[in-house]
Amino acid sequence: MKNKFIYSEATLSDFEDAIDEYGWVIYEDAVNEKMINTIINDLEPAYLTRREIQVQNGIETNMEGTLHHLLEKENFSMPFLSQKYCDREMRHFLDGNYIVNGISGVLNFKNFKAYVHNVHRDIRSFTGDFKIAIQMIVLLDDYTLDNGATYFLSGSHKKDVKPYEVFFYEQADRAVAKKGSIILFDSNIWHAVGLNNTDGPRRALTLTFTRPFFKPQFDFPRFLGYEYGESLNDHLRQVIGYNARISANLQEFYQPPHLRMYQPGQG
């Protein structure tokens, strides 16, 4: 397969060809060891907080090892997004500006079973050639056949019909790659997390990026605070969604163009 590249050497043409033919791309040597360690250290307490809420609300079944909405002021998320990983490719894929729709983690340990192990795609409506969302997986451990490397049914991003499970596992490719790699994939592709049959962890950061007009999973600007947004650079304001907010009252709606909640260039 010709969908694996060294991050610093890959061209936009490489991305175009691979994402069109296969629906997914691997970039090796993308994230350095220091950033990976920071993410791992932040995921551990974040998971305990989220797992407690899952259990309290009675939704812990099939949620083991999953943690959502990790965009916070004091953790890895701001430094990570500031690096603008694959910004060129995502702007090309989404035809302009984009926002983070969700930022989550998957802690895949032996005997863990969660919804991500099912054959699925990460957008419920098939959008064909009109691209609305692109996914990113950041490998925090090596992905191997034994520890649950993700299955991707290459080319299935061009088909609306969900494949039969037997066919999927017979035909799907595995995302075997080293820690620090980034996987980008079309949100229309059918995929599934593999089972970890080793005694070690297989951890990953997962992000969804969408066109700005697409409703995000979480209201990050309201969660972080509108005043906090004023301290961010242009890239972070854009990707976190400060330029694509929804007015909540008439005072917010009736504003001159430069102060409007929904700024130009958001689609």
Side-chain angles (χ1 to χ4, degrees), residues 221-235:
R222 187 156 62 97
F223 169 70
L224 296 170
Y226 291 165
E227 290 186 3
Y228 178 74
E230 299 300 322
S231 67
L232 300 176
N233 61 40
D234 289 344
H235 172 71

Side-chain angles (χ1 to χ4, degrees), residues 182-252:
I182 285 177
I183 303 171
L184 283 185
F185 61 97
D186 188 320
S187 293
N188 283 309
I189 198 170
W190 294 96
H191 62 287
V193 171
L195 294 175
N196 187 351
N197 295 312
T198 73
D199 293 326
R202 199 239 61 193
R203 298 160 292 193
L205 188 66
T206 63
L207 303 96
T208 305
F209 296 94
T210 63
R211 293 178 187 251
F213 61 76
F214 193 85
K215 184 167 63 175
Q217 300 173 29
F218 201 80
D219 191 343
F220 293 113
R222 187 156 62 97
F223 169 70
L224 296 170
Y226 291 165
E227 290 186 3
Y228 178 74
E230 299 300 322
S231 67
L232 300 176
N233 61 40
D234 289 344
H235 172 71
L236 288 178
R237 282 186 57 80
Q238 172 61 45
V239 75
I240 292 171
Y242 280 95
N243 294 340
R245 292 173 286 169
I246 298 174
S247 302
N249 55 56
L250 292 176
Q251 282 291 338
E252 290 182 349

Side-chain angles (χ1 to χ4, degrees), residues 112-181:
F112 273 30
K113 179 67 174 176
Y115 65 91
V116 292
H117 291 90
N118 300 325
V119 179
H120 67 286
R121 64 184 181 198
D122 289 313
I123 188 168
R124 296 189 180 184
S125 299
F126 179 70
T127 60
D129 291 333
F130 183 62
K131 304 305 183 184
I132 288 180
I134 190 168
Q135 315 287 136
M136 176 185 290
I137 301 176
V138 181
L139 279 58
L140 305 178
D141 296 291
D142 292 345
Y143 267 35
T144 71
L145 297 180
D146 291 331
N147 74 2
T150 302
Y151 292 83
F152 286 103
L153 185 58
S154 297
S156 65
H157 60 298
K158 298 183 177 182
K159 300 177 182 179
D160 190 14
V161 180
K162 183 178 181 178
Y164 289 108
E165 193 165 292
V166 172
F167 176 84
F168 175 86
Y169 285 108
E170 286 179 347
Q171 300 297 320
D173 297 300
R174 304 293 295 276
V176 174
K178 292 293 185 180
K179 177 173 67 172
S181 299

